Amino acid sequence: MSKIQDCVIKNRWDILKEFTEARIGLGRVGVNLPTNELLAFQLAHAQAQDAVHLPLDVDSLSQELNNMPIDLKLLNMQVNETGLIQDGCTPILLHSKAQNRSVYLQRPDLGRRLDEHSIKLLENFKSEDITYDLAIVIVDGLSSFAIKENAVKYIKKLTLSLANEQDSWKIAPFAIVQQGRVAIGDEVASLLNAKAVLVLIGERPGLSSPDSLGLYLTYNPKIGLTDAYRNCISNVRLDGLSYDEAVNKSMYLLKESRRLQLSGVNLKERTQDNIIENSFDEQKNFLIK
């Protein structure tokens, strides 16, 4: 065993591994990678592929949302014209125009629009007399694994923060979209009469992050908006941006978006400004020696 280890020529940068999951300081054996690093790469590649192709377990996700405690003042319990009523946190199950994964991967445009059945379903919930402050839309995107691991945990903390706000928030019924892209949240929110939408979507898997959740906020959502109208918070997961920090950033953007009635490039996320300013005052800014 010791002879095998002696064959590996260490890279001096391997001390940086404790700070990042990036493949750095791998070392070498001759002109090749060490076997353990090669196997780790192949495993990460397989996990990334699985994250893309594994179908979202909608039943399990719906059950988790049903069991999730939520402050009732966030929910609109009014009966609409069709007699339908939001049943706690029971999500509305929707589907994009992409019929399956193969079509979804080859036709991004179909992943941005709802199919006819989903549109009719949302129209049953819609009422001109009911307006929501926020729609939360869960979309499988390119990693159902990211949704499974992070979505409900993040929503629990977000709804708790929203309920504690002095200015009340009314949340639309949760929606789950299969085979969806980010922009599909705009159509969902506009059909629900929501002033803003927060899309939770599985991000494109990296070789060290198959479970990365992305958050996209759009104010005044409607079909046809580009990404310039959205604010993004990325890499929400246990080994990435923590749920607490993600909720902190989300609350800042949500409150500023509602106050200014906009989102996107004109809305800056400034939750770190105070830290930077304090560091400057204490001369701890890394740019100042």
Side-chain angles (χ1 to χ4, degrees), residues 140-195:
D140 52 4
L142 286 167
S143 174
S144 62
F145 183 50
I147 297 298
K148 173 179 176 291
E149 292 294 307
N150 305 300
V152 174
K153 296 171 185 171
Y154 166 80
I155 291 174
K156 282 181 182 177
K157 290 181 176 289
L158 178 68
T159 52
L160 184 61
S161 294
L162 288 171
N164 290 332
E165 279 295 305
Q166 187 172 5
D167 297 328
S168 63
W169 289 81
K170 288 295 182 187
I171 298 180
F174 295 129
I176 299 174
V177 185
Q178 291 179 277
Q179 312 294 1
R181 303 270 175 174
V182 172
I184 205 166
D186 297 338
E187 186 171 14
V188 175
S190 63
L191 287 170
L192 286 171
N193 270 349
K195 296 176 183 176

Side-chain angles (χ1 to χ4, degrees), residues 126-127 130-137 169-173 185-198 218-222:
K126 184 177 181 179
S127 170
I130 301 177
T131 301
Y132 299 101
D133 296 307
L134 179 65
I136 297 177
V137 181
W169 289 81
K170 288 295 182 187
I171 298 180
D186 297 338
E187 186 171 14
V188 175
S190 63
L191 287 170
L192 286 171
N193 270 349
K195 296 176 183 176
V197 61
L198 185 65
T218 308
Y219 189 84
N220 192 21
K222 53 189 174 185

Side-chain angles (χ1 to χ4, degrees), residues 57-69:
D57 188 346
V58 176
D59 293 337
S60 177
L61 181 59
S62 299
Q63 191 61 41
E64 281 191 83
L65 290 170
N66 266 324
N67 296 333
M68 185 184 73

Side-chain angles (χ1 to χ4, degrees), residues 72-281:
L72 290 178
K73 66 185 178 185
L74 292 173
L75 306 178
N76 193 329
M77 302 302 289
Q78 299 181 48
V79 180
N80 65 21
E81 295 176 352
T82 64
L84 293 172
I85 187 171
Q86 182 180 348
D87 182 16
C89 299
T90 302
I92 308 170
L93 305 183
L94 307 170
H95 204 288
S96 75
K97 285 187 174 180
Q99 298 173 343
N100 53 52
R101 204 57 171 172
S102 177
V103 174
Y104 172 83
L105 294 173
Q106 297 176 71
R107 291 288 304 273
D109 56 320
L110 297 182
R112 300 187 183 106
R113 296 298 304 275
L114 292 169
D115 63 11
E116 293 301 321
H117 173 74
S118 298
I119 293 174
K120 291 179 181 177
L121 192 60
L122 287 176
E123 287 175 344
N124 289 335
F125 280 87
K126 184 177 181 179
S127 170
E128 298 299 331
D129 299 329
I130 301 177
T131 301
Y132 299 101
D133 296 307
L134 179 65
I136 297 177
V137 181
I138 305 169
V139 184
D140 52 4
L142 286 167
S143 174
S144 62
F145 183 50
I147 297 298
K148 173 179 176 291
E149 292 294 307
N150 305 300
V152 174
K153 296 171 185 171
Y154 166 80
I155 291 174
K156 282 181 182 177
K157 290 181 176 289
L158 178 68
T159 52
L160 184 61
S161 294
L162 288 171
N164 290 332
E165 279 295 305
Q166 187 172 5
D167 297 328
S168 63
W169 289 81
K170 288 295 182 187
I171 298 180
F174 295 129
I176 299 174
V177 185
Q178 291 179 277
Q179 312 294 1
R181 303 270 175 174
V182 172
I184 205 166
D186 297 338
E187 186 171 14
V188 175
S190 63
L191 287 170
L192 286 171
N193 270 349
K195 296 176 183 176
V197 61
L198 185 65
V199 174
L200 282 61
I201 188 168
E203 295 180 336
R204 184 186 303 277
L207 287 177
S208 59
S209 56
D211 58 342
S212 184
L213 178 71
L215 312 172
Y216 289 82
L217 170 67
T218 308
Y219 189 84
N220 192 21
K222 53 189 174 185
I223 296 173
L225 292 182
T226 66
D227 288 343
Y229 291 88
R230 313 184 208 289
N231 292 90
C232 176
I233 301 171
S234 183
N235 198 31
V236 181
R237 60 195 182 98
L238 287 177
D239 294 325
L241 187 69
S242 69
Y243 302 131
D244 288 335
E245 187 61 24
V247 169
N248 183 38
K249 291 177 179 291
S250 302
M251 289 301 300
Y252 178 89
L253 289 173
L254 284 168
K255 290 189 287 186
E256 285 296 285
S257 178
R258 183 159 73 167
R259 183 177 71 86
L260 300 171
Q261 299 187 0
L262 56 80
S263 61
V265 295
N266 293 319
L267 178 61
K268 303 300 180 186
E269 194 274 295
R270 299 186 184 280
T271 56
Q272 296 293 313
D273 284 5
N274 188 43
I275 297 174
I276 294 173
E277 288 172 3
N278 289 338
S279 297
F280 181 81
D281 293 341

